[in-house]
Amino acid sequence: MSHHDAPTVTRKPRFRVHHLAKAKAEGRPVTMLTAYDALVAPILEAAGVDMLLVGDSLGNVVLGHATTVKVILEDMERATAAVARSVSTSMVVADMPFGTYEADPVAAFDNAARLMRAGANAVKLEGGAARAATVRMLVDGGIPVVAHLGYTPQSENTLGGPRMQGRGEAAELMLADALALQDAGAFAVVLEMVPDDVAGMLTKELAMSTIGIGAGPHTDGQVLVWSDMAGMGQWVPSFVRRFAELGQELRSAAEQYVAAVGDRSFPGPENYKAH
Ligand code: KIV
């Protein structure tokens, strides 16, 4: 077979910012799940997940912290690099951790650039109009930005813990925040723990895509923490559906291993060579 006859390999292109805009225009809901490592990320990508969020929920899910406030930039760089190394078509979005972007847009750019160098295709940061100047600086410098409104876990100490945001008059304020972030160049906004009608209103009013978590079905896409949706832990918030019970499966596998080693049925003849 000459090289002219070689079969053409068609590779799925990376999901990018313009694909998100197209999905919104066509009314196709987009999917985002968190990912923190090279073990799980390729499985989620193979399942067709559009965007992988290296969330600072890493702090709670993987590092055993009680809060995302404890997460540092180096944690996010290492996790982002692991996810980015192991996928090729999902968009990798890296969370900017607490303390790395709030005080100064220039410092924020330097820190976001570290996440991009680690392999991110975009970064996410929490907060409203007060972040607009930072979003503008990042976007002008070539870094796509996802905003995050509603319940923002890095501000749990000022918000008084996880609770719905944007009820009543606060809805108009949230719209003003979202418009300021959109005008600054954000291409999407995560809406966390926002009433369905407010999320629907924002989705209609905004040109950028809305990605909901605990925000009802009327957003442009949905995001969940992968270990919540796969049933790894005991408890999940009411807005999560457990699509599997992987925690129980893993425990059962480990119990069988413990028993098999205990009764010497493992390793079996198929697992070793006698000579
Ligand atoms: O860190 C995270 O996992 C998040 C999602 C909950 C949106 O920000």
Side-chain angles (χ1 to χ4, degrees):
M1 191 162 73
S2 80
H3 68 279
H4 295 295
D5 305 322
T8 46
V9 182
T10 48
R11 284 182 46 209
K12 200 179 156 205
R14 171 90 63 186
F15 189 83
R16 290 184 181 277
V17 169
H18 65 276
H19 295 119
L20 197 63
K22 189 165 182 273
K24 178 164 181 133
E26 292 171 353
R28 179 181 83 79
V30 296
T31 51
M32 179 188 254
L33 284 174
T34 64
Y36 314 107
D37 56 47
L39 182 67
V40 171
I43 297 172
L44 305 181
E45 176 179 75
V49 178
D50 297 313
M51 306 166 83
L52 296 177
L53 172 65
V54 187
D56 62 352
S57 51
L58 162 93
N60 312 63
V61 175
V62 177
L63 300 180
H65 294 310
T67 157
T68 59
V69 170
K70 302 266 187 176
V71 176
I72 58 174
L73 191 59
E74 287 73 13
D75 296 331
M76 296 306 300
E77 278 181 294
R78 187 160 299 164
T80 299
V83 170
R85 274 196 291 270
S86 65
V87 301
S88 60
T89 62
S90 301
M91 181 194 296
V92 177
V93 181
D95 252 340
M96 297 200 69
F98 177 68
T100 65
Y101 62 93
E102 300 88 335
D104 169 15
V106 176
F109 187 88
D110 290 343
N111 292 328
R114 283 173 59 172
L115 296 174
M116 297 300 281
R117 262 183 234 117
N121 305 119
V123 300
K124 177 167 81 59
L125 50 82
E126 298 183 1
R131 305 282 172 261
T134 295
V135 172
R136 170 57 60 204
M137 176 158 286
L138 268 52
V139 173
D140 283 350
I143 301 177
V145 178
V146 179
H148 186 156
L149 293 172
Y151 178 62
T152 45
Q154 291 174 15
S155 301
E156 62 166 74
N157 293 298
T158 44
L159 295 175
R163 50 177 66 183
M164 294 292 280
Q165 304 291 321
R167 284 201 169 112
E169 288 173 6
E172 285 306 311
L173 207 61
M174 197 175 285
L175 176 60
D177 278 333
L179 287 170
L181 294 160
Q182 175 175 284
D183 290 347
F187 72 96
V189 58
V190 166
L191 300 176
E192 180 164 354
M193 297 186 74
V194 172
D196 171 42
D197 58 346
V198 177
M201 177 274 285
L202 290 169
T203 301
K204 228 186 259 163
E205 294 294 327
L206 295 170
M208 65 177 168
S209 301
T210 59
I211 304 174
I213 175 164
H218 297 113
T219 50
D220 296 311
Q222 297 289 329
V223 55
L224 285 176
V225 169
W226 87 260
S227 48
D228 287 347
M229 79 85 206
M232 282 293 285
Q234 302 280 337
W235 178 87
V236 290
S238 62
F239 56 74
V240 173
R241 181 181 297 169
R242 296 169 76 103
F243 289 86
E245 292 298 335
L246 288 198
Q248 276 177 26
E249 275 289 311
L250 183 56
R251 178 175 170 160
S252 158
E255 282 171 353
Q256 290 175 58
Y257 167 75
V258 167
V261 171
D263 67 14
R264 297 190 186 278
S265 60
F266 177 83
E270 73 284 12
N271 303 122
Y272 63 90
K273 298 195 184 347
H275 303 290

